[in-house]
Amino acid sequence: MFLFYLCPVHKNEIMYQTLTFLHSTFRWLVLLSLIYAVFRSYRGYFSKKVFSQSDNSVRHWTATIAHIQLILGIILYSQSPIIAYFWKNFNTARESFDLLFLGPFTFSLCCVLLF
């Protein structure tokens, strides 16, 4: 990943590669924080503990990490060269199932899953 910085490429490509790396890394942070938050909530619920300040901090940081992942995903989607090609060449791209899937269908699916 970091070898791309040594090659002569456009700044948009570097930004896209960096966003892809960050989005890929943050998915593991989201997963780990969710597992930890669920573990703490089940442990507290079944042992009848009071919701503490540390529980609230875990909840807060889990939501923050998930929101950062969401923002990175939206930015990554909007900067994608595939999506840029789809919208610039809409008439020809809509005939390709792959481009149609990655174009409006993926964005619609993400919106439905979020709400």
Side-chain angles (χ1 to χ4, degrees):
M1 176 66 186
F2 294 106
L3 293 177
F4 288 117
Y5 292 109
L6 301 175
C7 302
V9 292
H10 295 302
K11 289 183 180 181
N12 288 343
E13 292 176 10
I14 292 174
M15 181 179 71
Y16 184 73
Q17 293 164 355
T18 304
L19 285 172
T20 303
F21 175 76
L22 288 173
H23 190 62
S24 179
T25 303
F26 259 84
R27 70 177 166 176
W28 297 112
L29 293 175
V30 169
L31 181 66
L32 291 174
S33 67
L34 282 171
I35 289 171
Y36 184 65
V38 168
F39 169 74
R40 282 186 65 109
S41 66
Y42 275 118
R43 188 179 63 175
Y45 179 76
F46 288 118
S47 63
K48 308 252 191 263
K49 291 185 178 179
V50 177
F51 189 77
S52 67
Q53 182 64 31
S54 62
D55 294 328
N56 192 38
S57 295
V58 169
R59 177 205 56 83
H60 170 75
W61 285 108
T62 299
T64 301
I65 292 169
H67 283 108
I68 291 171
Q69 173 74 345
L70 173 66
I71 296 300
L72 284 172
I74 291 170
I75 294 170
L76 185 63
Y77 182 82
S78 68
Q79 298 299 317
S80 171
I82 297 171
I83 302 306
Y85 175 81
F86 178 80
W87 290 116
K88 286 181 184 173
N89 305 304
F90 181 75
N91 290 330
T92 57
R94 69 179 178 176
E95 296 171 3
S96 170
F97 176 74
D98 294 336
L99 291 174
L100 191 63
F101 178 77
L102 290 172
F105 182 73
T106 302
F107 185 71
S108 302
L109 183 63
C110 289
C111 290
V112 167
L113 290 176
L114 286 174
F115 301 109

